[in-house]
Amino acid sequence: TEIVLENGSLSLMGNAVGTFTGFGTIIKGSVVMTENPNKYTTNLEFTADIDIAVFGQSQNQQLPVDPTSSSGTWTEDNGKITLTDDNGNQLAIVSSNENRIVFRGNFDQSISFGQQFALDANSDVEFTIEK
């Protein structure tokens, strides 16, 4: 239901060239959690509405983000959920209850600027999912 992009950095051929912050719009996706076995799968696509500062100039852009999917396992202990992806990485759960989970992750995307060049974008991202 909500995607927040923070601490964004932009690089060109490995060299830092700018920063960005933003949020997700037109969010389409699903999270399916099953029991016995305790598995989860996610499918997500959204548009990143970001404020970019590059080469001393600021601009706003709406960029479609490539559809992504992930999967892993989940556990629950005393009402707290833990998510571990298939690579063994534990996702940082900010908060959870029976209807909502907020977790942090990472955003990586290539941003094209015309036909001249593309910038690599990387940021922290906070996802909110609701039942």
Side-chain angles (χ1 to χ4, degrees):
T1 57
E2 185 176 32
I3 298 171
V4 179
L5 303 161
E6 301 173 322
N7 305 314
S9 64
L10 298 167
S11 61
L12 178 64
M13 298 180 354
N15 297 308
V17 295
T19 61
F20 71 94
T21 59
F23 57 93
T25 64
I26 314 172
I27 301 168
K28 298 177 187 175
S30 65
V31 176
V32 177
M33 299 177 83
T34 60
E35 291 183 273
N36 298 323
N38 291 2
K39 297 272 191 184
Y40 74 87
T41 57
T42 67
N43 293 294
L44 175 67
E45 64 181 281
F46 65 97
T47 297
D49 185 326
I50 56 177
D51 293 317
I52 299 172
V54 177
F55 305 123
Q57 300 209 358
S58 297
Q59 65 179 358
N60 178 268
Q61 285 200 333
Q62 288 76 41
L63 303 166
V65 174
D66 295 335
T68 61
S69 61
S70 65
S71 59
T73 59
W74 65 271
T75 58
E76 187 232 341
D77 184 31
N78 291 326
K80 292 200 170 212
I81 292 177
T82 301
L83 301 174
T84 304
D85 70 19
D86 284 338
N87 296 322
N89 301 314
Q90 196 170 54
L91 302 178
I93 304 293
V94 175
S95 66
S96 67
N97 62 35
E98 63 186 38
N99 295 315
R100 178 178 156 138
I101 301 173
V102 179
F103 63 96
R104 295 188 68 74
N106 190 267
F107 172 81
D108 272 310
Q109 181 81 24
S110 180
I111 300 173
S112 296
F113 282 89
Q115 295 180 1
Q116 297 175 355
F117 60 94
L119 296 177
D120 295 319
N122 181 283
S123 75
D124 297 325
V125 61
E126 187 172 281
F127 297 95
T128 300
I129 57 175
E130 295 187 42
K131 184 159 78 167

